[in-house]
């Protein structure tokens, strides 16, 4: 086995092979985060509604998604949905939809914990001044729940970014795929995978440090 050689990894190579994948991984993370939080919040409200016809389907959805490996959900959606629709969705579109639906189950549990962390007395105070259930949730409960759970939501988003590497299973061109293609073109797969691992570590560790600082600031505010 020859010595490791990283000299081929110039900025031109990064632009040609890696940058496209990084932008898709970033896009996938942001869309799945926003969509997952919105859908997850709705699922959390359904589970806390006290109405069986809302609570049972939401609980079934969340528990099912949380019990299946993400890579299996990615493959099922990519292979089965086009058969039902009669046309292919494409790897990128399929990945975005799958990640949004899957992450919603995890964001739902985070938001449910956040909503339950708000003292019930504040809910009753909202009712006392004439607010409806939806107004109380929108104006009193959800803003506090988001603030309380913001560090956890961001931590889940970091995990989501790491999980985007799983789209290799359906051939989507993400950050890891970009490094893989570069490695094949220059016959240096070991070097490219090592650099990919370092880059993932630097990105995720840096974001984790920012989340930790944010968590300390929120604790001071409380």
């Amino acid at each position: 086995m020859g010595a490791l050689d990283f000299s081929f990894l110039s900025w031109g190579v990064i632009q040609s092979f890696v940058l496209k994948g990084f932008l898709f991984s970033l896009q996938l993370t942001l869309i799945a985060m926003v969509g997952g939080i919105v859908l997850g919040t709705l699922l959390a409200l359904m589970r806390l509604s006290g109405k069986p016809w809302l609570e049972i389907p939401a609980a079934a959805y969340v528990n099912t998604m949380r019990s299946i490996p993400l890579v299996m959900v990615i493959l099922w959606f990519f292979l089965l949905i086009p058969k039902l629709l009669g046309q292919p969705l494409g790897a990128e579109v399929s990945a975005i939809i799958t990640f949004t639906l899957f992450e919603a189950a995890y964001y739902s549990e985070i938001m449910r914990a956040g909503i339950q962390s708000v003292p019930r007395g504040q809910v009753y105070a909202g009712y006392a001044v004439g607010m409806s259930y939806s107004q109380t949730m929108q104006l009193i409960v959800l803003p506090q729940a988001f603030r309380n759970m913001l560090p956890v939501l961001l931590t889940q988003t970091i995990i989501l970014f790491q999980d985007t590497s799983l789209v290799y299973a359906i051939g989507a061109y993400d950050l890891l795929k970009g490094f893989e293609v570069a490695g094949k073109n220059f016959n240096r797969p070991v070097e490219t995978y090592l650099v990919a691992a370092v880059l993932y570590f630097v990105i995720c560790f840096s974001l984790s440090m920012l989340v930790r600082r944010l968590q300390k600031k929120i604790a001071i505010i409380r």
Side-chain angles (χ1 to χ4, degrees):
M1 180 178 177
L4 296 177
D5 180 13
F6 298 93
S7 60
F8 71 97
L9 280 173
S10 63
W11 175 243
V13 171
I14 298 298
Q15 282 185 309
S16 301
F17 298 100
V18 179
L19 188 58
K20 174 186 173 183
F22 174 73
L23 291 177
F24 175 70
S25 291
L26 186 61
Q27 178 189 32
L28 176 57
T29 301
L30 293 176
I31 293 176
M33 176 190 70
V34 174
I37 289 175
V38 172
L39 181 56
T41 301
L42 291 175
L43 289 168
L45 291 173
M46 290 170 65
R47 296 194 68 180
L48 295 171
S49 66
K51 300 175 181 178
W53 60 278
L54 289 175
E55 185 177 347
I56 293 174
Y61 179 91
V62 170
N63 292 331
T64 300
M65 283 295 188
R66 285 167 57 87
S67 301
I68 303 175
L70 174 55
V71 68
M72 295 299 299
V73 179
I74 293 172
L75 288 170
W76 288 348
F77 194 92
F78 180 70
L79 296 174
L80 296 179
I81 298 301
K83 293 183 180 295
L84 298 176
L85 297 178
Q87 60 181 11
L89 289 176
E92 283 75 19
V93 174
S94 180
I96 289 172
I97 296 174
T98 303
F99 268 78
T100 300
L101 296 177
F102 186 85
E103 291 299 322
Y106 288 85
Y107 284 121
S108 171
E109 290 298 273
I110 295 171
M111 286 309 304
R112 187 161 71 103
I115 292 171
Q116 290 177 325
S117 71
V118 177
R120 293 295 297 173
Q122 298 194 29
V123 177
Y124 298 141
Y127 292 154
V129 297
M131 289 185 178
S132 64
Y133 174 79
S134 60
Q135 290 175 325
T136 303
M137 282 293 170
Q138 291 175 23
L139 300 176
I140 298 177
V141 177
L142 288 180
Q144 294 185 69
F146 275 113
R147 188 195 67 186
N148 293 343
M149 293 295 105
L150 185 57
V152 186
L153 290 171
L154 293 177
T155 299
Q156 181 61 36
T157 302
I158 295 172
I159 297 172
L160 165 58
F161 175 74
Q162 295 171 340
D163 287 344
T164 58
S165 61
L166 294 176
V167 299
Y168 81 90
I170 56 176
Y173 201 103
D174 71 314
L175 177 59
L176 185 60
K177 183 70 172 180
F179 276 108
E180 180 188 357
V181 173
K184 288 181 178 178
N185 274 268
F186 291 90
N187 196 29
R188 289 289 179 180
V190 175
E191 287 88 339
T192 51
Y193 280 126
L194 283 173
V195 173
V198 171
L199 183 57
Y200 273 104
F201 172 80
V202 170
I203 292 173
C204 295
F205 182 77
S206 300
L207 292 175
S208 296
M209 291 299 98
L210 290 175
V211 170
R212 186 173 297 179
R213 291 182 62 182
L214 177 62
Q215 192 170 17
K216 291 181 179 178
K217 288 184 178 181
I218 291 177
I220 292 173
I221 293 173
R222 288 178 185 171

